[in-house]
Amino acid sequence: MKKVILTFAFVLVANLGMAQTNEAFKKDVLKLIEVTGSAGQMKVAKDQILKMVPKEKHAAFLVEFEATMPALYDKMAEIYMQEYTQEDIKAILKFYETPIGKKMSEKAGIIAEKNMAAGQEWGMGLQGMMMKYMQ
């Protein structure tokens, strides 16, 4: 019986230690998501969606939209944590603390907006090409 209790206690302590490590890792990943300019990219997406919502409903929409962001960032953090180690994340964060890293972060929203416009333009041209081959 003593062995069972000791084993259970050991497993409990090990899980608690891993949970704290995972929380620190997740905190670093969430910081990375913030400094990489993902918030700027989400602003571009929000602005695009907002154009489709009647003006009188903007305030209510924005409240609901913002409420969804923590869950999205948590899911994004899980993806990063599957693909990178905590050491990788720390190294990437160091890069984003450099002048060029800060510039990348600042320009992320602008680049996302321009890329979206380029993609839409490309898609319109692609539709014409598809129509030619679908007939």
Side-chain angles (χ1 to χ4, degrees):
M1 183 70 169
K2 251 187 193 179
K3 288 181 183 180
V4 171
I5 293 173
L6 284 173
T7 302
F8 178 73
F10 177 73
V11 169
L12 185 63
V13 169
N15 282 338
L16 183 60
M18 287 187 70
Q20 289 174 343
T21 300
N22 281 343
E23 283 304 310
F25 186 15
K26 186 174 183 179
K27 184 178 176 184
D28 286 343
V29 171
L30 290 171
K31 181 178 178 183
L32 178 64
I33 290 169
E34 179 184 331
V35 301
T36 58
S38 291
Q41 294 172 11
M42 292 309 299
K43 183 185 178 319
V44 170
K46 177 176 65 177
D47 291 346
Q48 291 292 326
I49 297 167
L50 204 54
K51 291 176 185 176
M52 296 181 270
V53 175
K55 287 190 191 263
E56 65 274 4
K57 296 181 181 180
H58 278 195
F61 169 78
L62 290 172
V63 168
E64 284 191 54
F65 183 90
E66 293 300 326
T68 67
M69 297 312 297
L72 173 62
Y73 289 143
D74 280 345
K75 287 180 182 182
M76 290 171 66
E78 290 173 21
I79 293 166
Y80 276 73
M81 292 169 74
Q82 292 169 6
E83 300 299 325
Y84 296 106
T85 66
Q86 189 168 9
E87 292 75 28
D88 293 337
I89 297 297
K90 288 185 181 295
I92 297 168
L93 281 169
K94 280 185 183 178
F95 166 75
Y96 275 99
E97 292 169 357
T98 67
I100 194 67
K102 288 177 183 177
K103 185 175 183 178
M104 280 186 72
S105 179
E106 291 167 5
K107 300 289 183 181
I110 294 166
I111 290 172
E113 192 171 342
K114 289 180 178 181
N115 282 340
M116 189 180 304
Q120 287 174 344
E121 184 180 324
W122 173 80
M124 288 171 40
L126 185 61
Q127 282 181 333
M129 183 177 65
M130 287 171 50
M131 295 302 279
K132 181 172 93 175
Y133 288 98
M134 292 175 73
Q135 295 177 353

